[in-house]
Amino acid sequence: MPVHAPSAPADHPGSPSPASQLDIAGALTALLRDTTTEARPDIQLEALTLAVAADLPVLLWGEPGIGKTAALTQLADDLDLPLTTVIASVHEPSDFSGLPVVGDDPAGQGVPMAPPDWAVRLVRAGRGLLFLDELSTAPPAVQAALLRLVLERRVGALRLPPGVRIVAAANPRSSAADGWELSPPLANRFVHLQWVHDHDVVVRGLGGTWPRATLPRLRPEHLAGAVDFARRAVCGLLAARPSLVHRLPSGETRRGGAWPSPRSWDMTLTLIAFATAAGASRDVLSLLVRGTVGDGPGLELLAAMDRMDLPDPETLLADPAAAVLPERGDLRQAVLDGVVAAVRNRPDRARWDAAWSLLVRAAETGAPDLVVVPATTLAAFRREEWDVPASIEALAGVVSLSRRAGEAAARAAAATKGGR
C-alpha cells in the first residue's frame, strides 16, 4: 500500500499566509543587502577609479568568486553611474557589430547596422558604466567584434557618448569555463589590473561596510605640469630604450595581457598625467603602469621617473654644504654615482674636493656603505699634484671596513667551496 505523508495542521487564525512569508523573506534579504561604505585606503580600487576617470578601458583579472562583479556594482553606485552588464560569452558577434536592417531602398540608402537594446539605452542615458563580463570565455569571433566597441566606442551605427566608461572582467584561462586567451589586438586596448582579495576588506565588507570608490581630485593648477611630467617620463625612456616602443610577446598567454606598443604607451602617458595631477601614490601608479605596458617596461619606466627629480650633479658640486640628498638608498646611490661620473667627465681639483665633501655628507646622513664604491672610484681620479683632502679621513674607516668585510666573505666562500 502506498504510504501517505501526514496532512499538515490547519493554519491557526492570524498566522502569516505563504505570500506574506515571502514578503518577510524579502525583507530579510533586503536587510542583508543593506550595506554602507567608508573612506578606506585600497590601491586596487584607487587604480580602477583613476583609470575610469581617465576614460580608459579597464580589464580586471581574477579568480572566480574574488569579487570583481561586486566591485563593479559598488563602483557604479559610488560614482552614480547606471550599470549595464553584458556577458560577452553569451553574445554573437552581430550583437556588437550590429544587425543589418534592409530598408526600402538598400541600393540608394545602404544597409544600416542596428545596435542592440543595451547600447540604445546607454545612448539615451548619455552616461553609464558598461561592464563586459566573462571576457576570457568569449570566442575569437566575438573578441574581434569587440575591438571597435572598446577602441572607438561604436556599436553598429551608434557611437557611445563620452559619459560612458568601459570596464571588463575575466578569469584566467586555467579557471575559466571553456576559456580562451585574449587576442593581442583586444588585450592591447585595455589597462590590465590583477584583482585579488584583501582579507581585511572582505571581513569588514561582510560585516556591512565596504570601501568607497571616489573619483580622484584633480588639482587645476597642476594639470599643465602633470602633462609635461608624463611626456618627459615616457619620451625620455623610449628615447633611451627604442626597443620598448613595440614589443609583442612571443607566448600566447603573455600576448593576452599587458605589453608595450605605441597605443599602450599613449595610455600610460595619460595615466601618469592623471596620477600626477591627482597626487596618487606610487603603489597606485605602479599598478596602472605595469598593467598597461607590462611588468618589465613598467618597472623601467618607474625607475626612470624616480631619477627625473634627482638633483643635478653640477648643482651639488657647486655647493656641497647645501646639498640635499635623497633618503631612499637606491636614489642616493644614483646621485652619488652621478656626481662621480660628472667629475670623471670634467676633472679638476675643485670638483674632486667637492665630490669628497659630498661623500662625507652622504656617509654622515645615511647608510655609510653606499659611499664605498663611489669613494673607491673617485680616489682613482687623483692626480699627483692634488693633495689628499682632509675629508677623506672621515671615509677611510668606512672604506677599509667594507674592504675587509668583502675579503672575509670571499675567504669564507672559498673555504666552503674547498670543503665540498
Side-chain angles (χ1 to χ4, degrees):
M1 293 180 60
V3 178
H4 298 281
S7 58
D11 290 341
H12 295 287
S15 63
S17 66
S20 62
Q21 283 290 345
L22 290 178
D23 293 338
I24 295 173
L28 177 57
T29 302
L31 286 174
L32 289 169
R33 294 177 179 173
D34 185 16
T35 59
T36 185
T37 59
E38 65 179 354
R40 178 188 177 94
D42 187 325
I43 63 170
Q44 288 184 147
L45 192 55
E46 289 179 32
L48 171 60
T49 309
L50 195 145
V52 167
D55 198 14
L56 295 177
V58 185
L59 176 54
L60 305 183
W61 287 96
E63 297 294 338
I66 204 70
K68 301 184 296 295
T69 302
L72 263 296
T73 303
Q74 186 65 52
L75 177 69
D77 289 341
D78 290 340
L79 302 183
D80 192 26
L81 290 174
L83 178 65
T84 298
T85 300
V86 177
I87 300 177
S89 58
V90 300
H91 284 267
E92 298 292 332
S94 58
D95 293 334
F96 300 104
S97 58
L99 288 167
V101 179
V102 179
D104 296 333
D105 186 11
Q109 298 180 3
V111 179
M113 305 298 286
D117 62 331
W118 56 264
V120 174
R121 292 197 303 270
L122 281 171
V123 171
R124 287 176 179 171
R127 54 196 295 273
L129 183 64
L130 174 58
F131 178 32
L132 302 174
D133 202 3
E134 303 292 346
L135 202 62
S136 57
T137 58
V142 174
Q143 292 188 29
L146 284 169
L147 292 174
R148 198 176 184 212
L149 167 62
V150 175
L151 186 63
E152 301 179 19
R153 311 296 176 93
R154 286 191 174 275
V155 186
L158 282 185
R159 186 182 187 90
L160 299 180
V164 173
R165 300 296 193 264
I166 297 177
V167 180
N171 300 322
R173 184 176 181 178
S174 58
S175 57
D178 295 326
W180 301 77
E181 296 292 354
L182 251 61
S183 67
L186 183 60
N188 199 236
R189 285 163 164 81
F190 282 103
V191 178
H192 300 254
L193 294 180
Q194 300 298 324
W195 204 259
V196 296
H197 82 276
D198 182 292
H199 172 267
D200 294 336
V201 170
V202 172
V203 171
R204 188 154 177 79
L206 293 176
T209 305
W210 295 96
R212 181 185 308 128
T214 57
L215 288 173
R217 292 186 176 275
L218 304 175
R219 292 166 285 187
E221 66 275 13
H222 292 171
L223 298 186
V227 172
D228 177 68
F229 177 79
R231 287 175 173 167
R232 286 191 295 116
V234 173
C235 295
L237 175 66
L238 297 184
R241 299 275 280 118
S243 62
L244 293 181
V245 172
H246 188 276
R247 180 183 288 177
L248 180 64
S250 56
E252 182 185 4
T253 300
R254 294 178 60 196
R255 289 184 178 190
W259 48 274
S261 72
R263 178 191 295 121
S264 59
W265 281 116
D266 182 64
M267 293 193 296
T268 301
L269 193 152
T270 298
L271 290 170
I272 293 174
F274 268 77
T276 304
S281 70
R282 177 185 171 82
D283 290 337
V284 170
L285 181 59
S286 177
L287 286 180
L288 292 169
V289 168
R290 292 185 292 114
T292 307
V293 293
D295 286 336
L299 291 173
E300 283 196 51
L301 177 60
L302 291 169
M305 291 170 60
D306 286 338
R307 287 164 171 75
M308 286 176 60
D309 292 330
L310 295 181
D312 183 8
E314 296 297 336
T315 303
L316 298 177
L317 289 170
D319 189 4
V324 177
L325 299 174
E327 294 294 332
R328 269 178 50 185
D330 59 330
L331 300 184
R332 178 169 290 213
Q333 186 77 68
V335 168
L336 298 179
D337 290 343
V339 167
V340 173
V343 175
R344 180 181 61 242
N345 294 335
R346 190 159 57 89
D348 64 41
R349 172 63 187 277
R351 291 162 62 82
W352 193 66
D353 289 345
W356 282 114
S357 298
L358 281 169
L359 293 182
V360 171
R361 186 176 180 85
E364 293 173 345
T365 60
D369 58 315
L370 293 178
V371 307
V372 173
V373 174
T376 304
T377 306
L378 188 62
F381 301 158
R382 178 178 176 266
R383 299 179 180 177
E384 291 184 3
E385 63 272 18
W386 294 354
D387 295 331
V388 177
S391 57
I392 290 183
E393 296 297 328
L395 300 175
V398 175
V399 175
S400 176
L401 180 62
S402 175
R403 184 178 293 112
R404 289 199 301 271
E407 292 172 353
R411 288 195 299 269
T416 302
K417 184 177 180 180
R420 290 178 180 174

